[in-house]
């Protein structure tokens, strides 16, 4: 690995950690370079402005996630041919990589998902960033779901996707709400338990609208 790449990764790792803890507006470039133990001028040299660093943080892991999710989706579509892919497998392909990376990918991935949870609830940043990095992927999954549920109203499918996105955002928010509510029965950190329940729960939500138009 070159020194240049090492420096860029140090900056990105530091920025990711700080953005997750303090949000985009609560972090300065100097704080990032101090955390990374690099000269402040190197942040401008490698990236430019703070928003450029933030974009690089988002892109670095989004590319990995999107590639893994599309591969899983393509695999389940291929296995099902000539029939449409099963709905639960499509939902699994959409959620599995996120839960797996958050559960087993280390602190950097947890910070990344904490950032996504923040911006998904941010009026200014959420629409812009989620559109830029994840809308093409979402539309590919929605197309696969529509192929499985061709009789359903597209409006219902978009709302169901919106609810799925909200469930994931809450899961990665980093709060202990579910832990406290359940008196420790359901630890927020138990992402294996999340995955076991999330796919059938979301699948049933979509299928409720499939049944609506089948009757």
């Amino acid at each position: 690995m070159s020194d240049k790449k090492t420096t860029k990764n140090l900056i990105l790792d530091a920025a990711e950690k700080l953005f997750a803890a303090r949000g985009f507006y609560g972090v300065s470039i100097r704080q990032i370079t101090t955390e990374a133990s690099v000269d402040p001028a190197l942040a401008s040299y490698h990236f430019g402005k703070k928003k450029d660093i933030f974009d690089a943080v988002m892109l670095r892991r989004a590319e990995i996630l999107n590639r893994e999710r599309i591969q899983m989706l393509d695999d389940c579509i291929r296995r099902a041919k000539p029939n449409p892919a099963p709905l639960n497998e499509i939902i699994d392909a959409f959620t599995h990589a996120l839960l797996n990376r958050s559960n087993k990918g280390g602190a950097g991935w947890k910070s990344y998902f904490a950032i996504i949870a923040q911006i998904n609830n941010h009026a200014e940043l959420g629409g812009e960033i989620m559109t830029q990095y994840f809308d093409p992927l979402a539309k590919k999954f929605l197309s696969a779901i529509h192929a499985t549920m061709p009789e359903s109203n597209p409006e219902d499918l978009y709302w169901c996707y919106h609810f799925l996105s909200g469930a994931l955002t809450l899961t990665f928010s980093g709060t202990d709400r579910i832990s406290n509510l359940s008196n420790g029965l359901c630890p927020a950190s138990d992402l294996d338990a999340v995955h076991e329940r999330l796919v059938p729960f979301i699948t049933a939500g979509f299928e409720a609208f499939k049944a609506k138009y089948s009757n």
Side-chain angles (χ1 to χ4, degrees):
M1 182 180 290
S2 68
D3 289 341
K4 181 178 179 181
K5 187 172 183 181
T6 299
T7 300
K8 290 180 70 173
N9 283 340
L10 285 172
I11 294 170
L12 290 177
D13 288 345
E16 186 174 62
K17 177 181 176 181
L18 292 176
F19 287 141
R22 305 177 189 174
F24 176 76
Y25 294 107
V27 177
S28 69
I29 289 181
R30 182 166 293 277
Q31 288 171 331
I32 292 171
T33 54
T34 298
E35 178 72 25
S37 299
V38 302
D39 190 294
L42 291 174
S44 297
Y45 172 75
H46 287 299
F47 299 103
K49 299 180 180 179
K50 183 174 74 168
K51 181 58 165 59
D52 299 317
I53 299 176
F54 188 78
D55 286 343
V57 167
M58 293 302 301
L59 181 61
R60 179 172 64 159
R61 298 194 194 274
E63 289 180 331
I64 297 170
L65 280 178
N66 289 348
R67 182 169 59 248
E68 291 180 352
R69 294 159 94 185
I70 288 173
Q71 182 62 59
M72 289 189 69
L73 176 62
D74 289 343
D75 287 346
C76 74
I77 289 174
R78 184 178 61 254
R79 288 194 302 269
K81 285 183 177 179
N83 299 311
L87 180 59
N88 67 310
E89 292 188 18
I90 297 173
I91 302 301
D92 181 74
F94 188 82
T95 61
H96 192 97
L98 282 77
L99 293 165
N100 186 57
R101 288 285 183 177
S102 182
N103 202 21
K104 303 174 183 177
W109 280 99
K110 289 189 180 299
S111 292
Y112 182 75
F113 290 125
I115 295 171
I116 290 180
Q118 291 175 21
I119 63 176
N120 228 4
N121 289 301
H122 195 287
E124 179 183 349
L125 294 175
E128 173 193 346
I129 291 173
M130 298 308 288
T131 294
Q132 180 179 355
Y133 294 112
F134 295 108
D135 272 16
L137 176 93
K139 289 177 180 178
K140 185 176 178 69
F141 272 87
L142 282 164
S143 178
I145 291 171
H146 186 261
T148 300
M149 303 170 55
E151 69 281 11
S152 298
N153 186 333
E155 183 179 359
D156 291 328
L157 299 188
Y158 281 113
W159 277 115
C160 286
Y161 171 80
H162 183 67
F163 302 145
L164 165 57
S165 180
L168 286 171
T169 297
L170 182 60
T171 297
F172 295 130
S173 65
T175 71
D176 282 329
R177 171 65 176 143
I178 184 64
S179 305
N180 297 333
L181 181 65
S182 66
N183 293 320
L185 180 64
C186 305
S189 60
D190 188 357
L191 295 184
D192 288 332
V194 171
H195 188 70
E196 180 183 344
R197 293 162 175 82
L198 182 63
V199 172
F201 176 81
I202 297 298
T203 300
F206 276 97
E207 287 181 338
F209 290 95
K210 180 178 181 180
K212 172 183 174 182
Y213 293 102
S214 299
N215 294 333

